[in-house]
Amino acid sequence: MSHSDPSFHLFLELPLELREEIWRYCLPHRVRELDTPLAQNVFEPEYEYGSLLPCNLQGTTFANGLPPVLTRVCLESRKVARETGALQLPASSETADLVWEADSLRKQDWEDRAREDRARESVHLHWTYIYGADFESSGRPLDYLVLRAVSVAAGSSFMAKYIDSRFDWAGEAARASETEQTLQPETLRDLEALRKLPSLQVVVRVIVVHCDFKAAAKSGLFGLLGDARVQIVDVRDENRVVDRYLAFAEACEQQGSIAVNQDFRRELVAVTRRKLKDLIMGTYGCPILAATARPAIMFRLCTKMCNQLPVRSRQAERGGRRTRYPRGSRGL
Ligand SMILES: [Zn+2]
């Protein structure tokens, strides 16, 4: 091995146990998405209704559910990946699916069932009440998240918009019935489910990183091999990782002709925490829940470059139209 050649040619001479341990180290630590996100539900109301959105999100969700890169390197790495990983079992054989059924539920994704100190996977629920406008559903999404979280995952998360979506989207009628206590049992059941979650990570913002696979893998921010395409990072003062993701996302958005720019400014941690606390107190009135909930940002790697304006629109862009930041505040 010369200094200019970064390849390590002695790998095959290592003992098998060591090689397997190295392969295991390269497996992705994924956030498994339990359901498919809809871009308009994720980005509104921060971005205007009907306007261009920063990403359609679909490419990321699809790629994040594929078998990891290791299943395509060699027989040995594939065997290691399959020790704990497999495509999801058919839905009918799992009791969790009796708890909640929705058209947006993901059922064919790769699942890593490693447990305890070896657990690599956490689960995330995108569903908010507004999804009911686009997808048939029955049962209770938060109960489904709880079942998944306790049986499989290293952690669990859901959207802050789940907590306030009833107010945002059902309008005045829902608010009136809330005061009449008709929604109270529903809220209480949600609260019970949230109390059972082993970790209460709440996604307050979604940022999409648009770059090619190679640059993503090199950054190390989406797994060693770039195949952990969704990452959820706690918003904490001491957590500088958030800044690394934001800086990388912003750098990636300098290239090409961007349809709609994202806002990469970091809100004060204290403000984010207070907003989430107020939201939880306003909906559930539970101080313990408000104290234990951790605000977090979801970062998504999109290699489809769906944020680029088509060539036709670029001419209009040069003619004076400018990219813009989203309207108003970012919310949380
Ligand atoms: Zn995209």
Side-chain angles (χ1 to χ4, degrees):
M1 183 173 70
S2 73
H3 287 297
S4 58
D5 179 8
S7 306
F8 179 64
H9 298 285
L10 301 176
F11 184 75
L12 286 173
E13 292 179 31
L14 294 173
L16 176 64
E17 294 80 2
L18 203 49
R19 291 204 305 269
E20 286 180 343
E21 206 48 45
I22 292 169
W23 289 127
R24 273 182 213 108
Y25 182 69
C26 295
L27 282 170
H29 289 239
R30 280 182 178 168
V31 175
R32 185 153 58 82
E33 297 175 277
L34 296 177
D35 54 336
T36 304
L38 274 186
Q40 66 265 32
N41 294 351
V42 169
F43 292 116
E44 288 167 5
E46 291 85 355
Y47 294 80
E48 285 172 50
Y49 179 77
S51 69
L52 290 170
L53 298 172
C55 181
N56 66 31
L57 307 181
Q58 302 303 309
T60 301
T61 296
F62 175 75
N64 194 54
L66 291 175
V69 169
L70 249 56
T71 59
R72 302 186 293 279
V73 177
C74 65
L75 276 175
E76 192 173 285
S77 68
R78 184 177 170 80
K79 185 172 155 278
V80 167
R82 295 191 68 88
E83 283 173 348
T84 53
L87 288 173
Q88 276 175 284
L89 295 169
S92 57
S93 65
E94 293 182 272
T95 51
D97 295 290
L98 303 174
V99 175
W100 182 50
E101 182 59 54
D103 291 347
S104 63
L105 209 56
R106 299 199 60 79
K107 295 179 175 175
Q108 298 288 316
D109 286 346
W110 183 265
E111 204 171 10
D112 188 329
R113 294 183 174 225
R115 300 285 200 280
E116 290 161 9
D117 58 336
R118 288 236 173 223
R120 301 179 193 91
E121 194 177 78
S122 69
V123 286
H124 176 78
L125 178 76
H126 283 288
W127 185 271
T128 67
Y129 284 89
I130 185 60
Y131 281 76
D134 294 283
F135 297 107
E136 289 285 330
S137 75
S138 62
R140 306 196 51 79
L142 280 188
D143 287 349
Y144 183 82
L145 176 65
V146 170
L147 273 170
R148 289 296 186 194
V150 296
S151 68
V152 175
S156 58
S157 53
F158 68 106
M159 305 299 287
K161 283 179 183 171
Y162 181 92
I163 304 173
D164 68 344
S165 56
R166 221 155 8 105
F167 297 97
D168 275 352
W169 305 106
E172 292 301 317
R175 228 175 302 224
S177 55
E178 174 85 354
T179 56
E180 290 160 17
Q181 304 294 306
T182 52
L183 291 180
Q184 198 63 11
E186 181 116 343
T187 310
L188 275 174
R189 287 199 62 176
D190 275 357
L191 180 57
E192 275 169 32
L194 291 176
R195 281 176 173 152
K196 285 183 205 155
L197 281 175
S199 69
L200 208 63
Q201 206 177 27
V202 187
V203 171
V204 297
R205 243 176 114 183
V206 175
I207 296 279
V208 184
V209 177
H210 283 99
C211 71
D212 62 35
F213 186 76
K214 203 173 168 186
K218 206 173 165 192
S219 77
L221 293 171
F222 295 93
L224 282 175
L225 303 177
D227 56 353
R229 304 234 179 170
V230 179
Q231 297 287 314
I232 298 181
V233 187
D234 277 4
V235 182
R236 294 196 306 259
D237 281 324
E238 65 275 22
N239 197 346
R240 308 323 300 175
V241 181
V242 170
D243 297 322
R244 280 183 61 205
Y245 277 101
L246 286 173
F248 186 54
E250 187 165 19
C252 292
E253 214 156 272
Q254 306 303 318
Q255 297 138 27
S257 209
I258 311 296
V260 51
N261 288 110
Q262 297 174 92
D263 187 348
F264 299 107
R265 289 168 295 175
R266 183 173 168 168
E267 193 166 51
L268 288 174
V269 172
V271 175
T272 308
R273 276 206 186 126
R274 200 191 59 239
K275 280 186 183 175
L276 181 61
K277 203 172 172 180
D278 290 349
L279 187 61
I280 291 173
M281 285 304 289
T283 306
Y284 302 111
C286 176
I288 298 171
L289 208 64
T292 49
R294 288 143 46 209
I297 300 179
M298 172 184 279
F299 292 94
R300 305 174 63 88
L301 167 64
C302 177
T303 52
K304 298 282 181 196
M305 307 312 283
C306 70
N307 63 338
Q308 299 286 325
L309 278 173
V311 177
R312 246 190 354 263
S313 308
R314 285 183 201 177
Q315 282 153 3
E317 177 90 355
R318 278 198 291 277
R321 190 175 152 229
R322 290 178 59 80
T323 52
R324 54 170 177 72
Y325 281 107
R327 163 178 67 96
S329 76
R330 293 188 298 278
L332 279 166

